[in-house]
Each structure stands twice: as structure tokens, then as C-alpha cells.
Amino acid sequence: LADGPTLGELGEHPFLRALCARIRARAERVPRTRHTAQLLVPPGDDCAVLAPSAGKLAVTIDALVEDVHFRRAWLDAAEIGRRAVAVSLSDLAAMGAVPAWTLVGVMVPPELPASFLDELLDGCATASEQAGALMIGGNLTAAGALTVTVTAAGAVEDRVLCRGGAAVGDALVVTGTLGGAAAAVAAWSAGTAPSAELRARFTAPAPRIAAGVALARAGARAAIDVSDGLLADLGHLCAASGVGARIERARLPRLTEVAALDAAGSDFAASGGEDYELLLACPQALVARLDELANESGVALTVIGRCVAPADGIVLCDESGAPHDVRASGFDHFAGRA
Amino acid sequence: LADGPTLGELGEHPFLRALCARIRARAERVPRTRHTAQLLVPPGDDCAVLAPSAGKLAVTIDALVEDVHFRRAWLDAAEIGRRAVAVSLSDLAAMGAVPAWTLVGVMVPPELPASFLDELLDGCATASEQAGALMIGGNLTAAGALTVTVTAAGAVEDRVLCRGGAAVGDALVVTGTLGGAAAAVAAWSAGTAPSAELRARFTAPAPRIAAGVALARAGARAAIDVSDGLLADLGHLCAASGVGARIERARLPRLTEVAALDAAGSDFAASGGEDYELLLACPQALVARLDELANESGVALTVIGRCVAPADGIVLCDESGAPHDVRASGFDHFAGRA
């Protein structure tokens, strides 16, 4: 940890005044989309006030809690902030929304140096701005464990991508690669350091904003972000849509390292969560356009299976076509991995 | 604590499904203002999606942390939820905004029964609805300490009440009474039970929505909610406005019990926080209308002093006109009371 004065030594209010000044300065030079929030009253008052926005408003709240979602030994301060914002922006991506603003609530152990909090909040602001959103304010309080709660809001211009729109016969498509974040956590948990490539999958997930927007516009019927694990989140999508699913294990997109681990008996791609990729259900007519949409979105789009009749359930197939047995299937915060 | 299964025993996802169904059902029968959020996609998806809203959007995030802001022995589950929502709605009131929606992020120790969380979230939904807002979603995670983070959004129709608008000569006005919440906390901290009247000041603060709207419309120039303590929050308002203030201690509105305690040497009304009343700066021409505005708002409005030249600082006067010395002046989360 960096040295330096704590918040108790600096004083909460002087720290907050400096922070608000920095947020106001950032707000003037952030690259904007046409949905980026326009601040009428900047942070430092009782509320931030925004100009009226166009379109429907998608909103979400999510939190990262130390020793539940991450350990401080795994991530530096800026990475904690960036990851916390990315997790909430990923929910916007899964609706096909364009980010507009974020609000960040931080609970911080009093013994942490103020510089740590500065870096964390810079990470939050940077991740917001990279997605075209403005960090418009927040809240700060003392607590035993470091936690970062992010409310994110965005505009839906076209169709809203809900979980419940998938139809039997739809292609199931995922963005990017799966299992890397879980493989990094497994390495840390085993006391070893993950490779830089795996580490980045956990520390710097990229919310798939462009893919969500492009696929919503192109006619995708349903989406969810993969936070609990592919099979768990597929289960949520299928339950909401009233369909089953048949996934081909060999088609799951993986980094080379994850492919090797899964070949050796793990199931990171199928059941590891926290990659924050999107899982989408698309009419088969859209499959021919996926390369073009992948180019437009800047991320790989891979067909991993299809929606089937609900009575057929959710099946993960081996290359032989036989059902593959997966033990773990998603994260329950209150029970550990099921 | 109530008995019953924990979230770990019930399963997080079944609990959440039932919760979302309840929120959807409540949304259909909540009393609405013209700014109440209209849900296009209800909770249970990646985001809630709202119909476009009229007016400027005021947004805020605030949090209650167990053993920092409250103890579980002081409040029952529903009161914790209601207070958490009231604290954020109070920020909207201080801007003259009309509440539209709330998002609630809860961190909960795994050993708490699910019924406790049900009651807490019912408290959140009830407090939102009483202010014309819809609880549109939330987040749930395990953590060591119980915390409730509430994002609240509202519409500003007329003028925005900022902290920085006060002018020299303005009357300083507060809603309701001051010091009751601090007196309740002092009683608990001394190991005694506060009276029902004092207890209610802490457990059930009423966000002064109607007063904020009415006074913004009538021409009040600045406002802040009294969360850190009158003198501390007055300091924030004066600093933002570039004015000083002269407050008459005898005019501070107090419950009888608080008046007796303050007469005996305490300073609950001047420096105790957490009442969530509003402090407003009003042109003197507005003073003659305060009775009418108090009737309209359903809460007492009391002139407690006036804004003076910045060089005169902030002075709390005794009945003789002499400056009154106050030791405590507001809450710093990281340093304890200053």
C-alpha cells in the first residue's frame, strides 16, 4: 500500500471538496457521446442535476465487496475502481443501452491512505469516461471492508434487449472469450500468480457496449451479461424466455491458456463467471451478419449453440454430442459456488 | 431477531425472484405523482428501464452502514430500510426535486434470516412510495456488516435549490425541529432508551419534499439538508454562497424534551445531525409568506437567523446577543465528531 495521510488525518470535507473540483474539471474534457450526461449542477451539492435526456433510461446498481468479490492483493486501487464501474456498465450493455452517467458509493476502512481512495475514484472516472459516461457524483463513508457500489444509467435508443425475448431455434452467441477471469481467480486462490493475460480478464473487463447496441439494432432478441457463469446466466435467460438450450462445449471461445486448462478437466469457460461478456439470442438470419457486426463492435462474436424446446432443458454437449456433466453452475453470494 | 431460514438456506436466486415479483406487484398499485417512474422493464432483468421523464433529473447516492450510522439494536429491519431511503430522498428535497425512483443496494451478513431482509426491503419500498417514488430495483450481496445504499432520482420542475445561492440579508429558515435524532442517539449511547418521540426522530425522519418544492417555487435562494448538524451544514451553505451567518440559539425549533436538554447544557439543536430537516436561505420578502408555505408543506418553517457579510463568519448568539461557544460541529466519518 502507498503511504501518506489517511482520510481521518486529511479531514473528510477537505478531501471531498478537492475530489469534487477534480470531477468538475474532468467533466469539461471527457469525450462525449450524444447520451453523455450534461451536468447542470455538478457534484458538491446535495444532488447532481442533469439536463433532460433523450430516450428511455436504463438504470442498474451493483457492488464489489472486498473479500467477497475481490481481494486487495489481487487488484490495485485504480483496478478496483475500473472493475466496479465495468460491472455496472456491463448491465447497461446487456440491455443495448448507451452509458450516460455513473454514481459511485465507496465504503472505506479508515486506515487506508487517502491516495488509495484517490486512485480508486480516478479508476471509476476513467472507466466511466471510456464508455462515454460521466461520473457525476458519489458518496463516501467509513466501513470495515472496502466496498464500491456503482449506479449506472444509460439511454436506450432502439430496441431494449431483455432476458425474456429468446425463441426456440435462435442462435446463442457470446462476445469475447469465456473463463479467463475464473482461471485467474483459481490461480490466486491456489497461491500462484495468473499470467498477465488471465489477470487482465479479471482486473480489466471490458463492458460490451458497442456489441450490445449493434446487436440490439440488428435484431437480437435477448441478452444477459455473463457474471455468474455461462451456464448459470444461460439458465436465467432460458427461464425468462421459456426455452431450453443446447450448447456445444467445443465452440466456447477461450484464450489458449483457458482452453488448455479446460482440456485438462476444468470447466472455466462453461461455469466460471465474472468475464462480463454478453450472451445473446439471435434469429438464425442474423448469423450470416455476425462477422460484420463483430467488426463494427470491435469484439469477437461466436455462435455457441441454439435455443431448443423448454422440455429439452439446458444441455452442454461434448464433441461426440453427449451431454457433458458440469458440477459448478454459478455463483450464489450466500452459499458459495453451488 | 426473527427466526427463519437464511438467504444461504433459501438460495439467493429464488429469494430474488420472489422479491422482484413483489416489487412488480407494488409498482402497479403505488400512489403516483406525475414524476413517479414509469417502468418499461421491471426489476429482474439486467437493468430496469424507464419511460423518458420530464424535467431536469436530480440524482444522489447515500448509504447507511451498521455500527457507523446505526446499530441494529436501535432500529428494526423496516426502520433501517425506511431511514436509508429517507436519507437519500432528503437530498432530493434539498434541491426542490420531486422523487421519481430509488435503487437499493443491500449488503447483508449471511447469518441474517431472509425475513429480516424482506422487512428491510419492504421498508425501502414503503418509504419510496410515500414520497411518490418507485423502488425500481436493487442489488444484494453478502458482507460482514449490514449496509443499505440508496440511489434516488427526482425531477426538478422549477428552480433548482443549490447550496450556493444565498445572499447577504437573506433569512435562514429551517423545517420541523432540530436535535431530536442526536438526543436519541445520545440516550442509546448512554445505555438508556430514548422517549418514543425522540426515537421517532431518528428512526423515521420525514424527507421534506413538499417544503423543498414549495420554497423553491416561492423563491428561496439556497438549501441544504441538515445531516451533519445545523452548524456544520450551515457552514457548507455559507461557504458555497460566500456569506456569513448569524443564528439566534433561542429561535432554534426544538421538541420540548430537546429544549430541556439544551437548556441544561447540551447543544443538540445546534450541532446534532441526522434530523434531515432542510435549512434554506430566503429573501426577506418571503418571510411574510412562511405561514402559508408551512401550511402548504405540512411542516413548521422557522426563521432562525440571517445571512451576513462573509467577514463576519458564522455566529450562534445567546439571548443576550453574545456569541455562544459550541464544541461539536458536525460529523466526519473518518475522525468521529470534530
mmCIF file of all heavy atoms in Angstrom, chain B residues 171 173 215 218 251 282-295 301-303:
data_model
loop_
_atom_site.group_PDB
_atom_site.id
_atom_site.type_symbol
_atom_site.label_atom_id
_atom_site.label_comp_id
_atom_site.label_asym_id
_atom_site.label_seq_id
_atom_site.Cartn_x
_atom_site.Cartn_y
_atom_site.Cartn_z
ATOM 1 N N ALA B 171 -33.053 35.620 4.975
ATOM 2 C CA ALA B 171 -33.479 34.934 6.192
ATOM 3 C C ALA B 171 -33.053 33.472 6.115
ATOM 4 O O ALA B 171 -33.120 32.848 5.055
ATOM 5 C CB ALA B 171 -35.000 35.021 6.326
ATOM 6 N N VAL B 173 -33.977 29.779 7.315
ATOM 7 C CA VAL B 173 -35.217 29.115 7.717
ATOM 8 C C VAL B 173 -34.944 27.618 7.852
ATOM 9 O O VAL B 173 -34.224 27.052 7.021
ATOM 10 C CB VAL B 173 -36.300 29.345 6.627
ATOM 11 C CG1 VAL B 173 -37.556 28.538 6.908
ATOM 12 C CG2 VAL B 173 -36.628 30.834 6.513
ATOM 13 N N LEU B 215 -40.898 25.904 -1.425
ATOM 14 C CA LEU B 215 -39.993 27.039 -1.196
ATOM 15 C C LEU B 215 -39.174 27.351 -2.447
ATOM 16 O O LEU B 215 -38.864 28.516 -2.715
ATOM 17 C CB LEU B 215 -39.121 26.781 0.029
ATOM 18 C CG LEU B 215 -39.891 27.084 1.324
ATOM 19 C CD1 LEU B 215 -39.507 26.172 2.452
ATOM 20 C CD2 LEU B 215 -39.707 28.553 1.717
ATOM 21 N N ALA B 218 -41.505 29.349 -4.458
ATOM 22 C CA ALA B 218 -41.794 30.664 -3.874
ATOM 23 C C ALA B 218 -40.604 31.614 -3.974
ATOM 24 O O ALA B 218 -40.761 32.810 -3.748
ATOM 25 C CB ALA B 218 -42.203 30.497 -2.416
ATOM 26 N N ARG B 251 -33.989 30.724 18.983
ATOM 27 C CA ARG B 251 -35.017 30.531 17.956
ATOM 28 C C ARG B 251 -34.966 29.142 17.330
ATOM 29 O O ARG B 251 -35.843 28.814 16.518
ATOM 30 C CB ARG B 251 -34.859 31.584 16.860
ATOM 31 C CG ARG B 251 -35.060 32.996 17.399
ATOM 32 C CD ARG B 251 -34.881 34.037 16.325
ATOM 33 N NE ARG B 251 -36.165 34.352 15.711
ATOM 34 C CZ ARG B 251 -36.348 35.354 14.837
ATOM 35 N NH1 ARG B 251 -35.321 36.082 14.439
ATOM 36 N NH2 ARG B 251 -37.530 35.590 14.336
ATOM 37 N N CYS B 282 -33.731 32.458 2.365
ATOM 38 C CA CYS B 282 -34.879 33.047 1.665
ATOM 39 C C CYS B 282 -34.759 34.566 1.664
ATOM 40 O O CYS B 282 -34.406 35.160 2.692
ATOM 41 C CB CYS B 282 -36.181 32.687 2.392
ATOM 42 S SG CYS B 282 -36.469 30.927 2.545
ATOM 43 N N PRO B 283 -35.102 35.204 0.552
ATOM 44 C CA PRO B 283 -35.169 36.662 0.563
ATOM 45 C C PRO B 283 -36.124 37.108 1.666
ATOM 46 O O PRO B 283 -37.116 36.413 1.943
ATOM 47 C CB PRO B 283 -35.738 37.012 -0.818
ATOM 48 C CG PRO B 283 -35.687 35.763 -1.626
ATOM 49 C CD PRO B 283 -35.537 34.611 -0.712
ATOM 50 N N GLN B 284 -35.840 38.247 2.296
ATOM 51 C CA GLN B 284 -36.684 38.705 3.421
ATOM 52 C C GLN B 284 -38.152 38.853 3.001
ATOM 53 O O GLN B 284 -39.049 38.654 3.819
ATOM 54 C CB GLN B 284 -36.157 40.033 3.979
ATOM 55 C CG GLN B 284 -34.834 39.899 4.744
ATOM 56 C CD GLN B 284 -34.969 39.144 6.059
ATOM 57 O OE1 GLN B 284 -36.067 38.999 6.608
ATOM 58 N NE2 GLN B 284 -33.857 38.612 6.555
ATOM 59 N N ALA B 285 -38.362 39.159 1.728
ATOM 60 C CA ALA B 285 -39.740 39.329 1.252
ATOM 61 C C ALA B 285 -40.554 38.048 1.399
ATOM 62 O O ALA B 285 -41.787 38.078 1.436
ATOM 63 C CB ALA B 285 -39.735 39.771 -0.210
ATOM 64 N N LEU B 286 -39.868 36.921 1.493
ATOM 65 C CA LEU B 286 -40.564 35.636 1.604
ATOM 66 C C LEU B 286 -41.037 35.361 3.035
ATOM 67 O O LEU B 286 -41.913 34.503 3.254
ATOM 68 C CB LEU B 286 -39.614 34.522 1.139
ATOM 69 C CG LEU B 286 -40.228 33.284 0.513
ATOM 70 C CD1 LEU B 286 -41.095 33.663 -0.661
ATOM 71 C CD2 LEU B 286 -39.117 32.321 0.080
ATOM 72 N N VAL B 287 -40.450 36.038 4.004
ATOM 73 C CA VAL B 287 -40.738 35.732 5.412
ATOM 74 C C VAL B 287 -42.223 35.870 5.719
ATOM 75 O O VAL B 287 -42.793 35.046 6.442
ATOM 76 C CB VAL B 287 -39.878 36.620 6.348
ATOM 77 C CG1 VAL B 287 -40.306 36.462 7.806
ATOM 78 C CG2 VAL B 287 -38.404 36.256 6.185
ATOM 79 N N ALA B 288 -42.859 36.870 5.130
ATOM 80 C CA ALA B 288 -44.286 37.092 5.387
ATOM 81 C C ALA B 288 -45.139 35.945 4.858
ATOM 82 O O ALA B 288 -46.283 35.767 5.282
ATOM 83 C CB ALA B 288 -44.733 38.407 4.749
ATOM 84 N N ARG B 289 -44.580 35.152 3.941
ATOM 85 C CA ARG B 289 -45.363 34.056 3.359
ATOM 86 C C ARG B 289 -45.087 32.709 4.018
ATOM 87 O O ARG B 289 -45.606 31.684 3.578
ATOM 88 C CB ARG B 289 -45.071 33.950 1.856
ATOM 89 C CG ARG B 289 -45.621 35.115 1.026
ATOM 90 C CD ARG B 289 -45.449 34.819 -0.455
ATOM 91 N NE ARG B 289 -46.055 33.543 -0.817
ATOM 92 C CZ ARG B 289 -45.694 32.816 -1.889
ATOM 93 N NH1 ARG B 289 -44.747 33.244 -2.680
ATOM 94 N NH2 ARG B 289 -46.292 31.671 -2.152
ATOM 95 N N LEU B 290 -44.236 32.684 5.041
ATOM 96 C CA LEU B 290 -43.808 31.385 5.578
ATOM 97 C C LEU B 290 -44.955 30.597 6.202
ATOM 98 O O LEU B 290 -44.999 29.368 6.097
ATOM 99 C CB LEU B 290 -42.656 31.560 6.572
ATOM 100 C CG LEU B 290 -41.307 31.941 5.936
ATOM 101 C CD1 LEU B 290 -40.240 32.095 7.020
ATOM 102 C CD2 LEU B 290 -40.849 30.906 4.892
ATOM 103 N N ASP B 291 -45.897 31.295 6.860
ATOM 104 C CA ASP B 291 -47.025 30.567 7.459
ATOM 105 C C ASP B 291 -47.827 29.844 6.382
ATOM 106 O O ASP B 291 -48.177 28.664 6.520
ATOM 107 C CB ASP B 291 -47.943 31.521 8.227
ATOM 108 C CG ASP B 291 -47.331 31.907 9.570
ATOM 109 O OD1 ASP B 291 -46.302 31.300 9.944
ATOM 110 O OD2 ASP B 291 -47.875 32.819 10.224
ATOM 111 N N GLU B 292 -48.102 30.566 5.322
ATOM 112 C CA GLU B 292 -48.833 29.983 4.191
ATOM 113 C C GLU B 292 -48.054 28.803 3.586
ATOM 114 O O GLU B 292 -48.609 27.719 3.320
ATOM 115 C CB GLU B 292 -49.029 31.108 3.163
ATOM 116 C CG GLU B 292 -49.413 30.714 1.767
ATOM 117 C CD GLU B 292 -48.901 31.760 0.752
ATOM 118 O OE1 GLU B 292 -48.692 32.940 1.133
ATOM 119 O OE2 GLU B 292 -48.711 31.382 -0.401
ATOM 120 N N LEU B 293 -46.749 28.977 3.415
ATOM 121 C CA LEU B 293 -45.938 27.897 2.836
ATOM 122 C C LEU B 293 -45.829 26.713 3.794
ATOM 123 O O LEU B 293 -45.766 25.556 3.364
ATOM 124 C CB LEU B 293 -44.543 28.420 2.471
ATOM 125 C CG LEU B 293 -44.529 29.417 1.298
ATOM 126 C CD1 LEU B 293 -43.213 30.194 1.244
ATOM 127 C CD2 LEU B 293 -44.757 28.673 -0.029
ATOM 128 N N ALA B 294 -45.817 26.994 5.095
ATOM 129 C CA ALA B 294 -45.783 25.910 6.082
ATOM 130 C C ALA B 294 -47.072 25.105 6.015
ATOM 131 O O ALA B 294 -47.055 23.866 6.069
ATOM 132 C CB ALA B 294 -45.570 26.483 7.484
ATOM 133 N N ASN B 295 -48.192 25.776 5.869
ATOM 134 C CA ASN B 295 -49.471 25.080 5.722
ATOM 135 C C ASN B 295 -49.463 24.204 4.479
ATOM 136 O O ASN B 295 -49.874 23.042 4.513
ATOM 137 C CB ASN B 295 -50.619 26.086 5.619
ATOM 138 C CG ASN B 295 -51.076 26.540 6.991
ATOM 139 O OD1 ASN B 295 -50.883 25.805 7.968
ATOM 140 N ND2 ASN B 295 -51.644 27.732 7.073
ATOM 141 N N LEU B 301 -42.113 26.021 9.575
ATOM 142 C CA LEU B 301 -40.986 26.748 8.981
ATOM 143 C C LEU B 301 -40.605 27.855 9.956
ATOM 144 O O LEU B 301 -41.445 28.691 10.291
ATOM 145 C CB LEU B 301 -41.381 27.357 7.631
ATOM 146 C CG LEU B 301 -41.765 26.371 6.520
ATOM 147 C CD1 LEU B 301 -42.306 27.116 5.297
ATOM 148 C CD2 LEU B 301 -40.567 25.510 6.133
ATOM 149 N N THR B 302 -39.370 27.844 10.413
ATOM 150 C CA THR B 302 -38.938 28.775 11.456
ATOM 151 C C THR B 302 -37.736 29.586 10.986
ATOM 152 O O THR B 302 -36.742 29.007 10.525
ATOM 153 C CB THR B 302 -38.539 27.982 12.728
ATOM 154 O OG1 THR B 302 -39.612 27.109 13.086
ATOM 155 C CG2 THR B 302 -38.205 28.918 13.873
ATOM 156 N N VAL B 303 -37.845 30.910 11.130
ATOM 157 C CA VAL B 303 -36.681 31.763 10.850
ATOM 158 C C VAL B 303 -35.732 31.664 12.045
ATOM 159 O O VAL B 303 -36.136 31.902 13.190
ATOM 160 C CB VAL B 303 -37.105 33.235 10.639
ATOM 161 C CG1 VAL B 303 -35.873 34.111 10.434
ATOM 162 C CG2 VAL B 303 -38.047 33.347 9.444
#
